[in-house]
Amino acid sequence: MKQIAVVMILLNISYGHFSRSQSVDIDEPHTYTPPRHYFQTSSFDEAELEADDVAKNPLDRGPYFDISASRNVTALVGNTAYLNCRVRNLGNRTVSWIRHRDLHLLTVGKATYTSDQRYQSVHNPQLDDWSLKVLYPQQRDSGVYECQISTTPPVGYSMTLSVVEPITTVVGGPDLYIDTGSTVNLTCIVKHLPEPPPVIQWTHNGEEINYDSPRGGVSVITEKGDITTSYLLIQRARSSDSGKYTCLPSTANPMTVHVHVLNGEHPAAIQRGLQIRGERTLLTMLFLLLMAISSGWGRLGVR
């Protein structure tokens, strides 16, 4: 009996050792979690997926969007706009662009499916990019556009296009009244640009201002940012400093202000004089128009 017991113990030890060695050789199942900036979403879905949702869409389940780029695109009126859609693992699927405003199909693959030929599809195979190109965009083109993959059901990624027109203003315009000897401070503000204008030029009566001129006391300070501001400072104003000043941003519309350097006059009196001259000009034009009409009736024999 002792011999049988010893044999049973040895068998148990050998079986346990065999089981442990076998468990080491078994590979654990491997699950790949894609990076957070890859995801799939249903068509017209604006919400970002959480990390646990991303894990449910591994890379081996078909096409997916790379959303590392911004979903908001700003373009200037008249300047070509690009909405970039990066698609991975596209395979034999196609990419389309749809305008949300009217659910209008704009492009399919590289073909344009709208009579508005300003919309074009641009494919960059090296980067897996399918961009929507909008030529000569106008403010009415602003809105949501969707890049869509022809899966079943389709999946889409939405982007917002904002088409803006730069605005240039000069504070206090169109007329500024300055006392002789005071400092002229002209402030030009430029808004709604995707990036600050490289250059802002100032002119006086159509001629570029020379900051190194013998007159002296003329300087410009420019602060660039989302809103760019340029200050033109003219020390010890004199009558020759009167005239038309124009702010000329290199990438926006110009704006003009009229500066009046006063020699003891009251601004209200100057404005009244300008109004009277305007009224006289209008009366003169009306008189000439009546004379021309009367002359025409005379030639036609109308009495």
Side-chain angles (χ1 to χ4, degrees), residues 22-255:
Q22 286 295 95
S23 64
V24 171
D25 294 336
I26 296 175
D27 291 333
E28 294 294 330
H30 178 70
T31 302
Y32 178 79
T33 302
R36 178 170 176 77
H37 63 281
Y38 297 137
F39 82 104
Q40 264 184 328
T41 180
S42 59
S43 183
F44 304 103
D45 183 7
E46 296 290 340
E48 296 285 353
L49 297 185
E50 299 298 330
D52 57 343
D53 294 325
V54 177
K56 297 176 184 178
N57 295 285
L59 298 183
D60 59 355
R61 292 188 181 179
Y64 59 92
F65 296 102
D66 180 343
I67 61 165
S68 55
S70 174
R71 303 181 80 166
N72 299 306
V73 175
T74 301
L76 294 178
V77 170
N79 288 10
T80 302
Y82 290 90
L83 301 177
N84 189 46
C85 179
R86 184 163 292 175
V87 181
R88 307 295 191 189
N89 288 353
L90 182 61
N92 60 355
R93 313 287 184 172
T94 57
V95 176
S96 303
W97 278 96
I98 297 172
R99 185 171 56 204
H100 272 212
R101 184 181 70 228
D102 50 8
L103 300 182
H104 196 91
L105 181 63
L106 301 175
T107 65
V108 176
K110 296 181 181 180
T112 299
Y113 269 67
T114 175
S115 58
D116 190 344
Q117 295 299 310
R118 296 181 305 128
Y119 294 99
Q120 300 176 6
S121 175
V122 179
H123 180 218
N124 185 333
Q126 284 75 29
L127 298 176
D128 296 329
D129 288 348
W130 290 86
S131 301
L132 179 66
K133 181 178 181 181
V134 186
L135 299 172
Y136 313 110
Q138 302 300 313
Q139 289 180 320
R140 66 176 182 273
D141 295 318
S142 298
V144 178
Y145 294 79
E146 180 174 304
C147 175
Q148 193 176 95
I149 304 173
S150 62
T151 53
T152 305
V155 292
Y157 180 65
S158 298
M159 303 183 70
T160 300
L161 172 65
S162 300
V163 182
V164 298
E165 186 168 8
I167 298 177
T168 306
T169 57
V170 176
V171 177
D175 289 279
L176 288 175
Y177 299 90
I178 307 295
D179 291 327
T180 300
S182 300
T183 298
V184 179
N185 183 353
L186 302 182
T187 303
C188 178
I189 300 175
V190 185
K191 296 187 292 186
H192 298 167
L193 278 175
E195 58 185 21
V199 178
I200 294 183
Q201 180 184 351
W202 284 91
T203 63
H204 180 212
N205 293 329
E207 296 183 1
E208 184 177 357
I209 294 176
N210 181 7
Y211 306 109
D212 297 326
S213 67
R215 187 245 186 261
V218 180
S219 59
V220 167
I221 301 173
T222 300
E223 299 175 352
K224 295 185 177 182
D226 293 337
I227 298 177
T228 297
T229 305
S230 180
Y231 305 93
L232 174 63
L233 303 175
I234 304 174
Q235 306 291 336
R236 301 177 301 277
R238 59 188 71 166
S239 57
S240 59
D241 295 323
S242 296
K244 182 175 67 174
Y245 288 82
T246 302
C247 174
L248 291 158
S250 56
T251 55
N253 296 328
M255 182 55 63

